[in-house]
Amino acid sequence: MVQLDEFNNFKENFLVSKRYWLLYLIFITILGLSTVNKNNILHPKFEILIFLIVALLGIFCIVYYFMHNSDEELYKVALVIILIFGVICSLTVPILNHVDENEHFARAEITSQGVIFPDWIGDEKGINRLYNHTSGEISDEVNPGVGFNTIESLRFFKQNKGSTIFQVDGLDTMKINQSVYLHGSAFEQNPFYGYLPQAIGIFFAKLLDLNVIWLLWLGRIFNLIFYAILVSLAVKKAPCLKLPLICVACIPVSIYHASSVSIDPMIFGLGLLTISYFMYLYSSEEESLGNRHIAIFSVICLLLGLCKLPYLAFIFLLLFIPKKNFKEYNLLLIFLGILFVGIIGVIWSRYSTPTLMHSWRSNLNYINSTQQIAFLKNNPLQILEFLKHTVTGGLSFIISQLFNFDYRNAESIARYTFISILLAAFLAIFLFAYPNDFKFDLKGKLGVFIIFLIIYYGTYFVQLLTWAYVGNMYVDVHMRYFIPLLALIPIFIQIKNNPFKRETFDKYAFVFIIGFMAVFILALATKYY
């Protein structure tokens, strides 16, 4: 009887949402065709199959949204749509195709062995790798006897980086070889918990004695599942701006990295959860908060900040929660929370920075943080040039990454310029003009905006010191570093007398959220298959 009611409910909402999923089909057809090239036309079978899959799944997601679009149930929608499109992405993205996935994969495998702090084998000078400054490519040649203990099967992935399973001559069906193998780099500087979900997937692949490709696939999928859970928790906890949280979590660049074995999904998920919990604290009833809320928020900020240090600044949001929301406003405890997070962050930074030498980064001899700081002191006007770039060239680079999965390839970026512009326009309208029912006061808006700027420019400055050669003020930062910041925009930008009605706005916005995810999957199919 319950199943019959569910079926009737789905059928009813299928008809009610007809105009929306028809719009979705038109949208993915037009944008999907813009990703097609000559080879896709000559050999269209796989692309047609993927189109049919995302078309049907997209319709399902839209109908499911209509069935659960109340504020109390939106978290279910977030979980379902991330898993549906994320799993497809996990399986279709070529081997180790994500940014630094080779190194993240090694760290995840090491973590699957129960190792919290990877042991560097070799001298303290690091490793020698050949770095091409023009292409940004790094060779796989490392000194023998230098690196981190992983398993022999990782050699298969390194040798077939960028290939699909149809291009490896059946080698993906080999069994997992757990003999010891030294891997040159393994993100030693990152905290172990950022790799636990991936490690669990890798552990099960080894436990079940699956084919070697499942080391990567289960690592990606378990990482995705954890990300979907974090986002779902964030949406459930948030008292407002639930759909903007879903939107930020589901833009193509977010789904792409969430479907990898990278630490980025942990950063995205914890970032959105931090913002959600801040909104919860900010909008709580008078005298309803206690010391435990401060402690919980501090812990979340710490977990996030150790994964990406500039995000430690989120802890300062505690200062902008209305005093009346606390039973007893404990300013001392708030300052202690800020101090605790800050001290741990500094200690972690002092530990993690030297470990960068235990990787290919030790070969980047054109980078010198001390000399870069000295250059800025001697040329203070260059700071203005740096700030100018973060607003002009930096922003244009960030926008170009919204729909890009081959960030070093200028031709690939140009190929999706049309879609990237449409996606940027959608996000601008959605995030800047969202009809939020809850209004933040001036102090809250100003505080959030300040934190936004601190993290934005802090990230740029860290990149300036750790990646740019001395005297170069034109460092570019990848979009993935700023994903959580997007969710702050609807907080500090709120339009008075907003002409949009939230119910209608949300429905059409959701269609485009699903649409861009589907087009991204189509772009993967037309580029790599």
Side-chain angles (χ1 to χ4, degrees), residues 450-468:
I450 291 172
I451 300 304
F452 179 96
L453 292 179
I454 290 174
I455 296 174
Y456 182 77
Y457 284 105
T459 302
Y460 262 99
F461 191 70
V462 169
Q463 294 295 100
L464 182 70
L465 296 181
T466 58
W467 283 105

Side-chain angles (χ1 to χ4, degrees), residues 157-182:
F157 294 99
K158 288 182 65 177
Q159 292 173 345
N160 292 282
K161 181 180 179 181
S163 301
T164 69
I165 57 170
F166 302 121
Q167 298 171 327
V168 295
D169 298 325
L171 294 177
D172 57 301
T173 61
M174 294 188 304
K175 288 300 180 181
I176 298 169
N177 185 344
Q178 298 193 51
S179 302
V180 177
Y181 167 68
L182 282 179

Side-chain angles (χ1 to χ4, degrees), residues 308-325:
K308 188 65 69 176
L309 286 175
Y311 280 98
L312 286 171
F314 268 156
I315 189 63
F316 290 106
L317 289 173
L318 280 174
L319 297 173
F320 302 101
I321 298 170
K323 295 180 181 179
K324 60 182 176 62
N325 292 6

Side-chain angles (χ1 to χ4, degrees), residues 78-91 197-198 216-232 249-250 254-262 265-266 517:
L79 185 70
V80 168
I81 64 175
I82 290 174
L83 289 179
I84 284 177
F85 286 97
V87 168
I88 298 175
C89 192
S90 297
L91 299 177
Q198 310 92 303
L216 180 65
W217 280 354
L218 283 187
R220 285 176 173 178
I221 290 172
F222 272 70
N223 205 17
L224 174 77
I225 292 171
F226 188 76
Y227 173 71
I229 292 172
L230 282 179
V231 174
S232 182
C250 293
S254 299
I255 290 296
Y256 176 63
H257 290 287
S259 306
S260 71
V261 290
S262 168
M266 181 70 73
M517 281 199 292

Side-chain angles (χ1 to χ4, degrees), residues 107 110 113 115-122 124 145-150 181-184 186 188 351 358:
R107 179 61 190 274
I110 292 170
Q113 300 176 29
V115 177
I116 294 178
F117 298 102
D119 291 323
W120 167 255
I121 298 174
E124 287 303 312
V146 175
F148 298 88
N149 279 330
T150 59
Y181 167 68
L182 282 179
H183 196 280
E188 184 185 358
Y351 156 76
H358 298 164

